[in-house]
Amino acid sequence: MNTFSFNNNALYAESVAVTDLMVEYGSPLYIYSRGQIVSNWQQFDQAFGDHPHLICYAVKANSNLGVLNILAKLGSGFDIVSIGELERVIAAGGLPGRCVFSGVSKTKTEIQRALELGIYCFNVESAAELDRVESVAKLLSTKAPISIRVNPDVDANTHPYIATGLKENKFGVGIEKALALYKKAELSKHLDVFGLDYHIGSQITEVSPFIEALEKALELISQLKAEGIKMSHIDIGGGLGIAYNDEKTINIEKYIQSVLDKVGDLEVILEPGRAIVGNAGIFVTQVEYLKQGGVKSFAIIDGAMNDLQRPSLYGSYHQAIAVENNSKGIKDTWDLVGPICETGDFLAKDRELTLAQGDYIALMSAGAYGFVLSSNYNSRPRVAEVMVSGSNHALVRKRETVGSLFENESIFNNEIN
Ligand SMILES: *Cc1c(COP(=O)(O)O)cnc(C)c1O
């Protein structure tokens, strides 16, 4: 499907002209397509056919309630990494019974709340965490459903900040240590062993590291079986890359099929984040000034690194597209830079575009790790988010106000004591 496409030289989000949205909701703005989110999710769901499976959307990719609600209505599960994310899922109509809880440092309070709400499974990431989950479950006189996150030591060939499956990364336990942990868990009155889990990184564009990890995990599962430890699911993580530029990506149907060919009757849990929301969102910003005549030409835009951090954090690429063709524009090779007082404040570099002051520029595929990574740096209110479905559209998060920036702050009065 073509969610964001040109019609009469103007960019549309589904059936709505992006310029109309900008005029109505202001700039800068995140715009999401409901149709694209639904079709991305369904592609995963359908690839599994009748095989028992649970798609646990990784909430951290985009945790807006409007996004979560669309997925909850489809029957999605969720991969959460904090209690805040779990409460969001519930507020959006999602079921705790379909949530897996990942992350290297679950606090006692988080474990307790997750147990009370009845999540599907804890993805336990260390021996110390296993002890803590067990002790909280004991305190509540219950049994905690667990899976152990193993670190399969495979190179996912991605940006070092988002590679998670190498033994030097902080995630999971080494495969060689997992056996002892499983034995311990199996003997506990307060732990229920449900599965095995791994997640090797993000924005992965080749299938071989996934298959390598799967094979290592299945080997461990059969070792465990020989020891009398059975499990009902394997959680193969997320990490499927999307095309930001001209990357080739993984064929989802083929990947899932090759997983199903190997797992027997184990339920499969998949935790895609980026692949569900990445191409379903754009970030649109307006040209404030054009600055030419030096070594570089700058289009100074009203969006900045605090709104969309991926380019400055990971050196990520987003396609930059003029929302409308402007015959009065200047054709040049532009760096798109924001108002923040750092040289790292850029959203794109060396882009050939025809631009004039006031033009809107869309940064494409900004639906994942976009708004969620935004901050108030330079005392900039965070931007609004809009959902589009066909010709309908509505705010799913209103723009912050300047007043809201310091509502939690106060002046320290040194004379009180
Ligand atoms: C971030 C994360 C995901 C999602 O990764 P994507 O690359 O967005 O698919 C899945 N599982 C875990 C444990 C994660 O930390």
Side-chain angles (χ1 to χ4, degrees), residues 112-412:
Q112 177 167 347
R113 180 82 179 132
L115 278 172
E116 285 164 357
L117 289 166
I119 63 161
Y120 190 63
C121 197
F122 290 91
N123 290 338
V124 174
E125 301 223 13
S126 63
E129 195 177 68
L130 190 71
D131 288 344
R132 184 180 275 182
V133 171
E134 182 185 33
S135 73
V136 177
K138 189 173 175 188
L139 211 70
L140 299 180
S141 309
T142 185
K143 270 188 136 177
I146 63 129
S147 133
I148 291 174
R149 176 167 177 181
V150 297
N151 184 329
D153 192 27
V154 298
D155 188 353
N157 220 339
T158 185
H159 190 284
Y161 292 1
I162 52 175
T164 57
L166 286 168
K167 58 176 183 286
E168 62 261 37
N169 300 140
K170 69 179 176 185
F171 299 96
V173 300
I175 285 216
E176 66 295 342
K177 296 208 182 89
L179 188 61
L181 277 192
Y182 271 110
K183 284 185 181 164
K184 187 173 169 191
E186 184 74 4
L187 291 174
S188 167
K189 286 201 294 276
H190 295 286
L191 298 172
D192 242 342
V193 174
F194 269 80
L196 185 138
D197 150 68
Y198 61 85
H199 169 72
I200 59 173
S202 196
Q203 186 54 18
I204 299 168
T205 52
E206 52 199 86
V207 79
S208 51
F210 284 120
I211 300 298
E212 198 187 324
L214 176 66
E215 282 167 354
K216 287 188 178 180
L218 289 172
E219 202 179 299
L220 177 60
I221 288 177
S222 62
Q223 245 177 303
L224 290 165
K225 206 171 167 186
E227 302 267 353
I229 301 170
K230 289 202 205 88
M231 52 194 66
S232 55
H233 77 245
I234 179 165
D235 180 338
I236 61 175
L240 290 120
I242 62 169
Y244 285 102
N245 191 8
D246 51 8
E247 304 93 323
K248 64 168 177 42
T249 55
I250 290 167
N251 179 314
I252 289 170
E253 284 75 20
K254 278 194 194 155
Y255 167 48
I256 300 301
Q257 192 52 52
S258 54
V259 171
L260 295 184
D261 288 344
K262 293 181 201 296
V263 294
D265 54 9
L266 282 174
E267 178 188 30
V268 179
I269 297 181
L270 184 71
E271 304 171 346
R274 191 190 308 270
I276 296 213
V277 290
N279 69 353
I282 60 176
F283 176 68
V284 188
T285 169
Q286 188 168 30
V287 176
E288 294 282 359
Y289 302 102
L290 296 174
K291 195 169 170 181
Q292 290 175 290
V295 183
K296 299 218 87 173
S297 295
F298 296 104
I300 302 171
I301 51 180
D302 63 358
M305 66 186 283
N306 74 299
D307 305 311
L308 175 60
Q309 212 191 146
R310 296 188 67 259
S312 49
L313 185 61
Y314 310 116
S316 305
Y317 178 95
H318 289 273
Q319 256 181 44
I321 295 178
V323 167
E324 289 187 14
N325 283 350
N326 187 342
S327 56
K328 296 191 197 92
I330 305 165
K331 188 172 173 181
D332 200 347
T333 302
W334 303 98
D335 277 10
L336 307 184
V337 299
I340 286 186
C341 302
E342 289 209 20
T343 302
D345 182 26
F346 60 89
L347 296 190
K349 286 191 167 169
D350 300 321
R351 304 302 172 85
E352 197 171 287
L353 289 163
T354 303
L355 296 175
Q357 232 179 36
D359 283 0
Y360 294 115
I361 302 172
L363 280 301
M364 306 305 287
S365 292
Y369 307 105
F371 183 88
V372 285
L373 275 168
S374 67
S375 77
N376 293 122
Y377 188 39
N378 276 217
S379 285
R380 290 167 52 83
R382 281 184 293 175
V383 307
E385 297 171 281
V386 166
M387 185 69 69
V388 178
S389 178
S391 53
N392 295 331
H393 49 88
L395 272 182
V396 287
R397 191 183 209 273
K398 64 181 183 201
R399 192 174 298 281
E400 290 179 353
T401 61
V402 167
S404 74
L405 291 174
F406 40 84
E407 67 190 359
N408 294 328
E409 298 173 29
S410 47
I411 289 164
F412 176 62

